[in-house]
Amino acid sequence: MTSLSSQMKTLVAPSLVDFEPYDPKFTSTRINLSANENTHEMPAGTKMAVCEALSKVQLNRYPDPMANGLRKTIAEWRQCDSACICVGNGGDELLFNFLLAFGGQGRKLLNCPPSFSEYELFSKITNTEVVNVWRNLETFCIDEEAALNAASDANLVILTSPNNPTGDVVSREFVSSVCEVCPGIVMVDEAYDEFSRKELSCDDLLEKHDNLIILHTLSKAFGLAGIRCGYIIASPDIIDVFASVRQIYSVNALTQAVAAAVIANRDEYQGVCEDIKFERQRLLSAFNCMRDDGLPIEVWPSESNFLLVRVPDATFVHKRLRDEFSILVRDFSSTTGLKNCLRIAVGTQSENDELIEAIKTILSTNN
Ligand code: PMP
């Protein structure tokens, strides 16, 4: 579905008439590197703990609405009070609730595109005005001066670090300055933070800024996109707001059990993240070698589990990857500022080997 029927356009709320549902552009392929998922297998010890936890879930009972057991597990891990944690049905739900609670008619969100498209989508649904401060379209750096100016008049700010789909991070100094000038609430979306250098995380800035929220998810580093579990860390006052707007049972009992078991076994994931970072570097080097050998490819460095590349006729390259090699990546060609860009998640070693060979073949014969 791409747009609403004419009858629906007369019935739906006026702000949603031009609404287009989010489309992850998913098709079934042998190798799927299109959604920034973690394609590594769940570590063996964790798998056993998950099975045991699932076997104990009482499916006839409603889940604990605020997921207090899981909140406590997260709080112990992140070394904060449980009152500073809210769990959601994926980071998505928490992003939506952020706009729902702090946005709305007459309110402004500062956004720095190109970035995660859901921010604009949820702003539209909640009737929140979006003020876009565009990144430099060569380097994807944020125009910090312009962003600070806009932040001083914003009700909400979202900074994404590492950013999806460009892979870069914001500086902690910049985040602090935004929190200082912004009269509203600032969210740093750290969905991919486990793949970047530890010293770049903004978590400890929470001590200094009571208008700051940090968003995390178990979908990426912990390979749990299917269970839908994200969480925010923020001041108890902010958490109370999230608690008051959330769908009561949005985080189901199976999710709560799996998430707690995985976090308890989190040490097993260090190797997984290290491997993804190693493979990211290997892919980056392979693409740079292709460029040095005269193939038309440009790649940006990334602190995340994906790389953004630019190739001539990216839509055709995307199609050939899918149809000839059964490899799915994400085509961003039609996104403003990302002409001919593809976003490629870092897979396992063998998936990446196949991807490298496929791209080499396509770029050598794509004329
Ligand atoms: N933030 C960013 C930047 C993302 O890319 C994503 C997922 N694609 C999310 C948040 C939400 O992730 P999830 O809902 O799976 O937790």
Side-chain angles (χ1 to χ4, degrees):
M1 188 168 102
T2 50
S3 66
L4 301 178
S5 68
S6 43
Q7 192 206 2
M8 274 305 132
K9 284 188 179 183
T10 65
L11 297 174
V12 80
S15 59
L16 300 182
V17 165
D18 302 325
F19 192 69
E20 281 184 21
Y22 180 78
D23 177 5
K25 307 229 169 9
F26 179 76
T27 40
S28 177
T29 48
R30 205 167 39 84
I31 296 178
N32 183 353
L33 303 174
S34 71
N36 298 342
E37 292 150 338
N38 181 342
T39 63
H40 287 59
E41 273 214 29
M42 180 177 273
T46 309
K47 202 179 250 177
M48 272 168 55
V50 164
C51 289
E52 203 192 323
L54 283 174
S55 71
K56 292 187 185 147
V57 176
Q58 292 188 299
L59 294 176
N60 61 323
R61 302 286 180 195
Y62 285 103
D64 173 354
M66 279 299 282
N68 281 315
L70 177 57
R71 268 175 111 191
K72 194 161 166 270
T73 306
I74 295 173
E76 278 164 13
W77 165 35
R78 308 310 305 229
Q79 296 181 335
C80 63
D81 198 288
S82 317
C84 299
I85 305 283
C86 182
V87 183
N89 186 309
D92 290 349
E93 185 197 18
L94 296 160
L95 283 167
F96 185 84
N97 288 351
F98 180 46
L99 269 301
L100 181 68
F102 297 100
Q105 187 86 45
R107 290 174 161 257
K108 290 182 198 163
L109 166 76
L110 166 59
N111 183 37
C112 299
S115 193
F116 189 32
S117 60
E118 274 186 7
Y119 308 149
E120 291 217 35
L121 181 73
F122 294 161
S123 300
K124 187 157 189 187
I125 297 174
T126 58
N127 251 313
T128 309
E129 182 186 340
V130 179
V131 177
N132 280 326
V133 170
W134 283 87
R135 289 159 185 264
N136 175 305
L137 294 180
E138 296 289 315
T139 62
F140 297 123
C141 288
I142 292 180
D143 179 344
E144 295 192 356
E145 203 183 315
L148 281 170
N149 254 329
S152 67
D153 185 35
N155 304 95
L156 314 89
V157 176
I158 303 181
L159 299 170
T160 320
S161 189
N163 186 43
N164 174 11
T166 59
D168 58 308
V169 289
V170 289
S171 80
R172 290 160 44 83
E173 294 70 30
F174 174 60
V175 171
S176 264
S177 306
V178 171
C179 289
E180 272 159 26
V181 301
C182 179
I185 309 286
V186 179
M187 176 182 274
V188 180
D189 180 345
E190 292 196 355
Y192 301 95
D193 149 74
E194 290 89 348
F195 305 108
S196 79
R197 284 162 286 158
K198 207 171 168 32
E199 65 273 21
L200 299 174
S201 167
C202 292
D203 275 337
D204 63 325
L205 296 180
L206 287 161
E207 281 166 26
K208 272 195 358 207
H209 304 287
D210 60 9
N211 60 342
L212 177 61
I213 301 174
I214 311 283
L215 176 75
H216 289 284
T217 179
L218 301 187
S219 295
K220 310 296 178 183
F222 294 96
L224 293 177
I227 72 165
R228 313 305 303 126
C229 188
Y231 63 97
I232 52 165
I233 316 180
S235 71
D237 270 2
I238 291 180
I239 298 298
D240 284 347
V241 175
F242 276 80
S244 64
V245 299
R246 63 190 294 281
Q247 296 284 318
I248 299 168
Y249 299 118
S250 69
V251 184
N252 73 67
L254 298 170
T255 294
Q256 292 187 30
V258 173
V262 168
I263 292 170
N265 285 274
R266 61 187 173 277
D267 288 351
E268 279 203 306
Y269 287 81
Q270 264 168 21
V272 175
C273 287
E274 282 314 311
D275 189 57
I276 291 171
K277 288 195 265 182
F278 177 84
E279 285 294 312
R280 174 181 74 201
Q281 187 56 38
R282 200 167 69 83
L283 272 183
L284 182 81
S285 306
F287 294 146
N288 278 329
C289 279
M290 289 181 206
R291 187 205 50 207
D292 295 346
D293 289 344
L295 291 179
I297 184 164
E298 184 183 1
V299 57
W300 282 267
S302 166
E303 291 278 349
S304 196
N305 68 338
F306 53 82
L307 291 168
L308 189 72
V309 301
R310 180 170 274 145
V311 290
D313 204 353
T315 300
F316 191 53
V317 173
H318 170 268
K319 188 171 160 357
R320 286 193 63 189
L321 272 173
R322 188 190 61 201
D323 299 345
E324 291 171 33
F325 298 89
S326 198
I327 299 177
L328 192 66
V329 300
R330 186 72 185 261
D331 181 9
F332 275 90
S333 292
S334 53
T335 301
T336 310
L338 297 178
K339 190 160 190 287
N340 280 329
C341 284
L342 301 175
R343 189 194 64 196
I344 304 171
V346 177
T348 58
Q349 184 184 357
S350 61
E351 288 174 329
N352 299 332
D353 283 343
E354 288 202 43
L355 174 88
I356 291 167
E357 286 313 308
I359 294 213
K360 234 187 247 172
T361 306
I362 292 171
L363 293 183
S364 315
T365 55
N366 216 21
N367 41 43

